[in-house]
Amino acid sequence: MPKPPMPAPRSGDLIPGSLEVLILKAISRNGRMHGYAIADWIHTVSEEALRVEEGALYPALHRLELRGLLEQEWGLSDTNRRVKFYRLTPAGRKALTAEREHWSRLTTGVMRILESQ
Amino acid sequence: MNEWLHALRLRLRALGRRGQLDRDLEDELAFHMEMRRAAGEPKAPFGNATATREKLRDTWALAWEDAWRELTQSVRILRRSPGHTAAVIVLLALGIGGNAAMFSVYNALFVRELPVPEPARLAVLNPYWSLPGLESFRRAQTSFSGIFGTGSLTSTSYSTASGEQLSRVSGGIVTGNYFQVLGVTAQLGRLLTPEDDQAGDPRTVAVISDGFWTRQFHRDSSILGTRIYLSGTPFTIVGVAQQSYRDDLPGRARDLWVPMNTQPLANPSGDVRYQQGWRWLSVMGRLKSGVSIEQAMAEARVINAQMESETNTSRRRFTVGPFETGRSGFPGYRRSLSTQLQILAITVGIMLLLVCLNAATLLLVRGTARGREIAVRQALGCGRARLVCQLFLEGLLLTAAGAAIGLFFAPHVARALLSLQPTSDIVNPELIFDMPMIAFGLGISLVTAAACTLIPALRVSRVQIEPALRSASRGTTGSAATRRTIRALVALQTALSVVLVAMSFLFAQSLYRLRSVDGGFERIRGITATLDARVAGYNDPAAQYRLAQRLIDRLSVLPGVESASLALCSVLMGCSRMAPIEMEGAAASPGDPSIWLNSVTPAYFQTTGIHIEIGRAFDPADRAGAPRVAVVTESLARSYFPEGDAIGRRFTPLSARGVPNEPIEIIGIIRDVRFVSPRDKPIRMAFLSYDQFPGEYSYLQVRTKSAAAPLVNSVRQAIFEVEPRLYMRGPNTLPDTLAMNLSRETLLARASLLFGGIALFLACFGIYGVVSYLVAAGRSEIGIRLAIGAQPGTVMRQVIRDALLTVSPGIVLGLGAAWAGGQFIESLLFGVTRQDLLTNFAVALVLLGTTIIAAWLPARRASRIDPLEALRCE
């Protein structure tokens, strides 16, 4: 199916393409996480600058899983619900390193331009 | 690639547990919502969760689930226009069916292996062998674990113990090791063994085939021990061969096999086993494992050379021709039919191309009509690749339906094609669905689908979205580029039709000329039959002579018969006696000293209508005891006496069968006769008087006062009255016999006329569709022209002229292609060449005529367009 046109990012929205690296980072930092915890962590650590909606979060998680960067694990919550946890695979760890370099180059470049005299 | 595989594995796993995946997605999202509620966040807008779930499900979906959705969509679309869909399916069935039919014949003759163990180890030992040659080679060689020889039982009559005559039995005569070497097994009783085939004391036993067992004995398992009479000799049935084994020659189905050494009993034309120079056996061997055909051939050459030097007994000699693989049996029809099969294969190939173009045009015309729908889909974001895919899928569906119908009818079509031969029992291949056949069906369907959808798909997917959406009608008329494509497709169709029509014209003309060529004898008012008196026990010349007199006396007084004669060799039938001669008063013979020696009863020349040019025919004075005389052909006379003084000369035949080595005087010369085929070169033949040289005869000739056909039965009846035990094949009228001799030409002419006709029909169909389309497309323009006073007749002429202009490049192209391709069939033509102007002109004329016919209806429709209505549509 064709991709819907991407609206321009506004406050609270993510830079397109950044969600996956944020997910990988969140999980590598905290080990085993479920979806809500990932969204929450990103929200908190970004000092509430970034908000991830589930409509974007879960497809991204599942894509990462299909690409073999994450693996799933099922557990039970305190309220006795089935919870899906995600863990990084070795391939995921490698991908995170590569992505971090990519993003730091990109952001440095963007900032240099924005702050140039 | 690894990532892709990983995803595929996960998706496949998810596919296996669709319910589980749905539950997982549900639970995961529900937990998220619960956490949000617990954290006091605002509720997500209604419907968000559903959209997310759909998205996730899509993430996990496999590509082919998509394809399935597309497929059901395609079926819906096709069902919306049933007439159009049916037309395309019928077209494709025609094209694919024809090709599958040809392939089924090719498959049966060329591809399929003999149903025996390790067929790859079988080798055919070309050319033909004599029995002594085979025996001496068999003892000397070391390459083969076994070698067998086999021949056909010709002029054998078959009857049951109750005296019932069996017609159309195909008998094989085989060395005792035949079944062992091949590895054929018995499904009932036993097969032949070397013990059955002792030279001095052969057992009169027979093994029958599954087909004969079914046809004659209704698979009765108590038939072992039953007797069947071959030329009057009882043979005991000892077994039935395995069901799948028909014969060693693909295209032939044997009914029974008897041991080689029973030949003189089963076949009364004399003992040919040890006759000098009589090479009549087809030979096959099973190579020892590890021995190649080339090694076996090298060894055979060495053995042959040794035998040449050791012995001068010529009867032991053999020729080492090229050996070839015997995995599919003897080459037989593979050789004799290969030209016809190739031409027919090319023809059906062109047909399929024509069908593809036709279907492509139809799809394109309809695709443009669907322009609005396609534009809508594109506007909704349907990518071009996806659209092409969708159209290809539609094509695939149509092709699959066409292929299913075509393949179903393929064996029937093949049988129908083969029955176009005047002699229907010539080749009878086993037409079944096996792996090669299925592979062919699949392959040709894919290629066809691609061929007929690609152009329309590429064209249609380039529809301009905006204008298409803006136009008021549901259909659009397509861009100028699309119209150009359609015109080009029609021109190509015309070109292909021209090729097929030209081919059919050439073959038909060549057949006509072959039929009307002057063979030097009367060939309308005549009947001929093959006879063998030895079957009925007439073995010595005197007895044969008396029977001949009785036959001729009886037939000559038959109402409607002008004269009757018997001969050893006859026009259209052939000759079997050849011998070297010594000519008195002539220099040593020029080249080959052998001539054909015929024996004929006195009325022969009158009966066959062969004209005596110089000298005289036989008269009653030329009886036994009188000086021996002969009539010779012009070629024979001229080869010895170029000055033309042959009359009165004497020649002596050397070691001819049944003719003493004594001088014979030439009393007459006949014009050269094309003896068997109109293509024959003149032959050197001497006609001897049967009164002076009584003995065997093979053919009966009858000259009728008027048309021959009504007399065939009374001639058969008369022969039967004189001697019911006589072996007889025929009688047939001369025109029928001629047709059998021209069976190859007839097959080609008939088949190509059939295909030419179909091609014309297809072209007509295509032109009609396209002109209709163009008229519909130019509707408003025509309306305006009519409104400002154009005459309907002018409009009509213009539409037809436009159609003619569209097809004429095709006609020119087609004539060029036919001219270039004609060299492949040149050698098969007689009396006409591919450059024949009249033929080419006629072909062009036929195509132009077809175009006018096809364009007529749409043109008339155009001339009756109501200007007001046409303009209102805009």
Side-chain angles (χ1 to χ4, degrees), chain A residues 77-88:
Chain A
S77 73
D78 305 337
T79 54
N80 229 10
R81 260 191 191 284
R82 287 174 76 229
V83 184
K84 188 176 179 185
F85 292 100
Y86 294 89
R87 249 196 336 228
L88 227 52

Side-chain angles (χ1 to χ4, degrees), chain B residues 117-141:
Chain B
E118 294 187 77
R121 275 174 55 202
L122 294 173
V124 175
L125 280 59
N126 291 316
Y128 292 103
W129 294 66
S130 68
L131 190 55
L134 172 62
E135 278 167 356
S136 52
F137 175 70
R138 188 153 61 180
R139 277 191 299 274
Q141 61 83 30

Side-chain angles (χ1 to χ4, degrees), chain A residues 26-71:
Chain A
I27 302 175
S28 90
R29 180 78 174 69
N30 302 298
R32 208 176 76 141
M33 288 179 101
H34 53 67
Y36 184 80
I38 296 171
D40 195 41
W41 187 83
I42 293 175
H43 191 61
T44 315
V45 174
S46 68
E47 295 172 356
E48 308 196 351
L50 302 175
R51 171 182 294 284
V52 189
E53 295 296 339
E54 63 268 22
L57 174 68
Y58 286 98
L61 279 169
H62 287 218
R63 272 198 305 274
L64 289 171
E65 185 186 345
L66 282 170
R67 283 171 62 192
L69 305 183
L70 297 180
E71 52 189 11

